[in-house]
Amino acid sequence: MTLVSPRLWDQPAKWPVSEGPNAADRFTSELVGELAEHGAANRSAADQTTADRFRRPTTFGAGGSEPYAQALQSDDNVLYLHGRRHDADPETAARVSTMHAGRWSAGADAIDRSLLAGVAGPVLDIGCGPGRMIRAAMDEGLDALGVDVSPTAVRIALAAGLAVLHRSVFDHLPLEGTWATLLLVDGNIGIGGDPDALLERCAALLAPDGMLVVEVHRDPEHDLAYVGTLHDAAGHMSDAFPWAELGVSALRRRAAQAGLTPVAEWSRGGRTFARLARA
């Protein structure tokens, strides 16, 4: 089972393959720290401009009393996403969606694992949380890396021996333009509240023959950007953050503007997905 080797951060054209289980390089928290410093020191002005352009002041579930971080570390892990459109009347009640953080911290289920059927590595899981999809990719023999902006999620993933960077997808990342598979699952098409910017960034990260796997809203025409806050049953609430939701038809329209085209669309177990490739 192979974790990401530090030698890969020089961005070779192809990832090396380990010879047997004892040849795998373990990716430690110390190496992650060194990599973060290396990336910051070598980031170009253009990279910084891109990151500054898309970065938002608050991210999913952060700030306030940190309900997301608490849910990842406890058994009381039901969260409520309250969303209100930017142009909504202040008197309009917020939309409320229920989320079970325990699923993010658990092992990958059969539906999760099916997303990796037939894909190639290396795999980049965007908004990886505690890392269940990274572990699932490793179990399939794929090299995999995760990125997440939550310090708690990254700490949990690193403690489990997974390769994760504490970064935004809009920051400088290794192997840009050569990733064989990108994952945007668990609603992570909403990252930053700007699907157009996120899809454009994914297109730049993908290899010419790479594949983007996206989990979408069950309503095909759903296309909503809003300001959200995350709550838990104890009354803890995050700061407000931008978020978005897309159905598969809306994703198809927006993806075309980023130079991506759908190659497969399907539903399973109440969840809906699409695979996109470069047009």
Side-chain angles (χ1 to χ4, degrees), residues 227-243:
V227 175
T229 52
L230 209 59
H231 304 242
D232 64 18
H236 301 117
M237 183 177 77
S238 73
D239 287 342
F241 56 90
W243 201 246

Side-chain angles (χ1 to χ4, degrees), residues 200-212:
E200 179 183 328
R201 176 60 171 151
C202 288
L205 290 169
L206 274 177
D209 58 349
M211 197 72 63
L212 168 63

Side-chain angles (χ1 to χ4, degrees), residues 66-79 100-103 105-106 152 156 232-234 236:
E66 297 281 353
Y68 175 60
Q70 294 189 51
L72 292 178
Q73 302 173 91
S74 72
D75 294 329
D76 184 16
N77 48 32
V78 178
L79 297 170
H100 295 273
R103 187 173 70 82
S105 299
T152 300
I156 292 170
D232 64 18
H236 301 117

Side-chain angles (χ1 to χ4, degrees), residues 88-145:
D89 188 303
E91 301 301 318
T92 303
R95 301 168 60 254
V96 181
S97 304
T98 302
M99 299 179 163
H100 295 273
R103 187 173 70 82
W104 305 330
S105 299
D109 61 19
I111 297 175
D112 293 328
R113 292 191 296 272
S114 73
L115 303 181
L116 299 168
V119 308
V123 176
L124 178 66
D125 187 7
I126 299 167
C128 64
R132 82 179 191 283
M133 293 302 297
I134 303 172
R135 176 67 67 189
M138 290 166 50
D139 289 345
E140 294 295 322
L142 300 169
D143 286 305
L145 174 72

Side-chain angles (χ1 to χ4, degrees), residues 11 15 24 116-117 140 145 173 182 191 196 205-206 209 240 272:
Q11 300 195 22
W15 283 35
L116 299 168
E140 294 295 322
L145 174 72
L173 295 174
L182 303 180
I191 288 173
D196 293 334
L205 290 169
L206 274 177
D209 58 349
T272 302

Side-chain angles (χ1 to χ4, degrees), residues 111-112 114-115 184-186 213-216 248 251 264-268 271-275:
I111 297 175
D112 293 328
S114 73
L115 303 181
L184 278 173
V185 298
D186 301 325
V213 181
V214 185
E215 184 168 359
V216 292
V248 70
L251 174 68
E265 299 167 0
W266 72 100
S267 295
R268 182 177 176 186
R271 299 167 67 186
T272 302
F273 306 94
R275 284 189 183 182

Side-chain angles (χ1 to χ4, degrees), residues 10-108:
D10 293 328
Q11 300 195 22
K14 293 185 180 294
W15 283 35
V17 179
S18 297
E19 298 293 339
N22 295 327
D25 293 302
R26 301 300 295 181
F27 200 23
T28 66
S29 56
E30 290 78 10
L31 284 174
V32 170
E34 292 172 9
L35 178 55
E37 293 174 3
H38 172 80
N42 290 279
R43 184 180 299 155
S44 68
D47 293 330
Q48 186 64 58
T49 298
T50 300
D52 291 343
R53 175 185 172 195
F54 294 122
R55 183 174 289 118
R56 297 294 190 266
T58 339
T59 56
F60 178 85
S65 46
E66 297 281 353
Y68 175 60
Q70 294 189 51
L72 292 178
Q73 302 173 91
S74 72
D75 294 329
D76 184 16
N77 48 32
V78 178
L79 297 170
Y80 305 94
L81 175 58
H82 292 229
R84 189 186 301 276
R85 293 179 63 102
H86 300 272
D87 55 356
D89 188 303
E91 301 301 318
T92 303
R95 301 168 60 254
V96 181
S97 304
T98 302
M99 299 179 163
H100 295 273
R103 187 173 70 82
W104 305 330
S105 299

